[in-house]
Amino acid sequence: MLEIDKTTTKQFNYNYKDYDGSHKEVSLDICIPYDDCLDELVTQILAKMDPMMRFLDENVGIKKALKEFIDVENQKFRDEYAEELLERVRNNDIDVEEIIRDTERHYKEELIQFADRIGPTDEDIFAQSFHRLVHSSQLEEILKKERAYAKVIASITKEMDNEVETLNNSQQEEMELKINQLDITTTPEDINNLLAQQYSTQNFVRKRYESELEAKIGHQKNEYRQWITSQVSELFQSSPVSTPLGNRSSMFISQQPSMEESFTIHLGSQLKHMHNIRILSANVNDLCSPLHADESLNGLNMALGLYSSSLCGVVVLTPSVQAQANKDIIKNANMSTEFHFNQIDDQLEKIEQQIRQLNLLNSSSTPSTKSLSTASTDVSIGSNTETVGAGNDNVAVGIINQSVQSSASNSPVKTSAKLKTGDFFITKHSNLSQSHVIFHLISDEPINSPSEINSRHPVILGLRNILKTASRHDVTTLTIPALLRHEMSEDMTVQWCMRRAELVFKCAKGFMIESASWGGAELSTLQLLLPHDISEELFNTLASMVPNVFRVANPKILVDNSK
């Protein structure tokens, strides 16, 4: 309702018969619009009447006449006032936006359903509840419940894959029969019609299962969150003794890499910081495997680290021609319900929308008015409303543009319809085995023949920006591809691998030293990931380079010769 900033005065006349039968009239000025108590006006009218009539006349008649008068005058006044406002709007004499803001403010101040929420949101309550529960004796129950939920989703997914595969085989056989009869009993039009029919059938089957999965995931997520909050209430009522984390050391079960070696280093010009360097050979998909794929409790470390300042991140290379998440990782993430974030498909859809918005924004601006200087190392256009951990800074679900300095030049940014080499986008997970955050780095290195690059290559600069983002958002364990490849190829010679590894090692070391000036969390563990199909001899050769590049700290042994 609009706030009326003016009033008017109307005279109310009331006629009555005196005790001697003569007609009398009483008048009263009333401020319109009038929304107060009528009894007060009735009292004022009675006070103006003959004292004898105050007791003879019925107040009901006066009140009824007064109410009718006020209703008519109020409506007439508001109609005239509204018409005046409309005329002012037509003449552009009124700020409609200001009226909207005032109306919104009145709704928020007067109606509880429109008021700004004071206190924690539902997301905050769930995050705090989970964080408390996961550090209690209920941790095993949480993992068991998540595993039971995951089995249901995995079963539906497997059923869908089997039915689609069976349908594909039968449709392929049917198509082959039609093609063999081409120009005999079958025409090209028949084949086209059959192809359209097969596509429609397969699409129907997929949509049916996807609808069932979406409903099941939504139900599981709501039920799980309600269960978590209810368990916290019961926990505080019973006040159980928390199980020490030391008793759970045997639960840290993860897929072991085929080869690995670890080092401890100290970096820094003056104040030295200790870091763990781990070089390993493994399939990158193993670091992003489904969390509850088996009966082991390998989700314990992921659950404990989820709402903490010790998050785990993995860099996954993505070709620019594809510019989308690894299909195996998407499949792994969809094998169970994502209880803490959006499902990966929803995250990727939001990222695509942000990319389109960025393209529209930059296409509508000229280079002279819309360019980024090389001082800007990364540009986040992700949503900052979702957090990886409770109490942490937000990690964007979106894309991060790598340093605009793709080369030594200071040319303005040229935006295309796709992500460029060195750009990366981020997805967040609580249902993958060893990854809270995945940095999808755009790189054509895996699909190109081995070439020589330098420290100013966009992919190297992209790694720098990933380390900077990780430092800002409490990602303290980060895995990067040591050769900027996830698989070996025949043209990757030993000498080329050594040169590439040395470049990545030295750049990573420089970025880690530089990170001390960035602020934020300190990278405690850097994992250098080598392809899973690398030879043992080459692995040992590259592993031996780590101490030389990172200067592994060896203890000095002092011998007392005085004795």
Side-chain angles (χ1 to χ4, degrees), residues 174-196:
E174 185 180 13
M175 181 60 69
E176 289 177 354
L177 290 176
K178 287 289 185 182
I179 292 177
N180 292 335
Q181 296 297 319
L182 184 61
D183 295 333
I184 302 176
T185 60
T186 303
T187 64
E189 185 179 359
D190 294 334
I191 293 180
N192 290 334
N193 292 336
L194 178 61
L195 187 62

Side-chain angles (χ1 to χ4, degrees), residues 523-534:
L523 185 65
S524 61
T525 302
L526 177 67
Q527 297 194 137
L528 304 170
L529 181 64
L530 293 173
H532 64 93
D533 51 352
I534 193 173

Side-chain angles (χ1 to χ4, degrees), residues 298-405:
N298 59 354
L300 183 140
N301 49 347
M302 289 293 101
L304 291 176
L306 184 61
Y307 292 92
S308 72
S309 56
S310 303
L311 303 174
C312 300
V314 177
V315 178
V316 178
L317 301 176
T318 301
S320 61
V321 294
Q322 181 180 355
Q324 63 181 13
N326 183 298
K327 292 183 178 180
D328 291 331
I329 293 178
I330 295 177
K331 183 177 180 179
N332 291 342
N334 282 327
M335 291 297 288
S336 62
T337 300
E338 174 56 76
F339 294 111
H340 301 268
F341 311 109
N342 291 332
Q343 290 292 130
I344 188 171
D345 294 332
D346 296 331
Q347 293 187 41
L348 294 175
E349 183 179 355
K350 183 183 294 185
I351 292 169
E352 291 177 2
Q353 293 174 358
Q354 293 164 353
I355 295 173
R356 288 194 293 267
Q357 291 174 3
L358 180 64
N359 290 334
L360 290 175
L361 178 64
N362 289 340
S363 62
S364 63
S365 305
T366 59
S368 60
T369 60
K370 186 64 178 180
S371 63
L372 302 176
S373 67
T374 54
S376 174
T377 56
D378 54 76
V379 180
S380 171
I381 61 169
S383 169
N384 290 329
T385 60
E386 299 177 302
T387 59
V388 168
N392 298 338
D393 291 334
N394 299 333
V395 172
V397 176
I399 69 165
I400 307 293
N401 188 288
Q402 57 96 16
S403 173
V404 298
Q405 187 175 347

Side-chain angles (χ1 to χ4, degrees), residues 26-184:
V26 177
S27 300
L28 180 66
D29 291 336
I30 303 176
C31 183
I32 301 296
Y34 185 85
D35 297 309
D36 294 331
C37 181
L38 291 178
D39 293 335
E40 181 180 348
L41 298 180
V42 171
T43 302
Q44 295 180 30
I45 293 174
L46 290 175
K48 293 185 177 184
M49 297 173 63
D50 187 280
M52 294 296 296
M53 295 302 298
R54 299 178 190 175
F55 305 100
L56 297 177
D57 193 276
E58 296 183 357
N59 294 354
V60 176
I62 300 176
K63 192 172 183 178
K64 181 179 179 182
L66 191 61
K67 184 178 184 306
E68 292 177 355
F69 173 81
I70 290 177
D71 288 344
V72 171
E73 292 299 330
N74 278 352
Q75 187 62 46
K76 186 187 298 182
F77 175 83
R78 290 190 172 100
D79 289 344
E80 293 175 354
Y81 184 75
E83 186 62 36
E84 180 183 344
L85 289 178
L86 290 174
E87 186 63 28
R88 290 171 60 187
V89 170
R90 296 187 192 101
N91 298 332
N92 295 325
D93 295 335
I94 191 171
D95 188 352
V96 178
E97 294 298 327
E98 183 178 359
I99 294 177
I100 294 174
R101 288 192 296 269
D102 289 342
T103 303
E104 181 182 7
R105 177 173 56 83
H106 290 314
Y107 268 84
K108 288 183 177 181
E109 291 175 352
E110 300 295 334
L111 300 176
I112 189 171
Q113 60 264 41
F114 297 102
D116 292 331
R117 179 164 183 168
I118 300 175
T121 63
D122 293 339
E123 294 291 333
D124 294 334
I125 293 173
F126 169 73
Q128 294 171 10
S129 300
F130 180 86
H131 184 63
R132 291 178 179 179
L133 203 62
V134 83
H135 288 86
S136 72
S137 58
Q138 295 293 314
L139 175 57
E140 288 83 356
E141 291 299 320
I142 293 177
L143 298 179
K144 288 178 182 178
K145 198 169 189 68
E146 290 182 355
R147 193 159 56 245
Y149 282 138
K151 285 183 178 179
V152 175
I153 301 300
S155 175
I156 298 176
T157 303
K158 184 177 180 180
E159 185 179 346
M160 177 184 67
D161 293 340
N162 291 339
E163 184 168 340
V164 169
E165 183 179 1
T166 302
L167 183 62
N168 279 336
N169 294 335
S170 63
Q171 288 181 345
Q172 185 175 357
E173 293 176 0
E174 185 180 13
M175 181 60 69
E176 289 177 354
L177 290 176
K178 287 289 185 182
I179 292 177
N180 292 335
Q181 296 297 319
L182 184 61
D183 295 333
I184 302 176

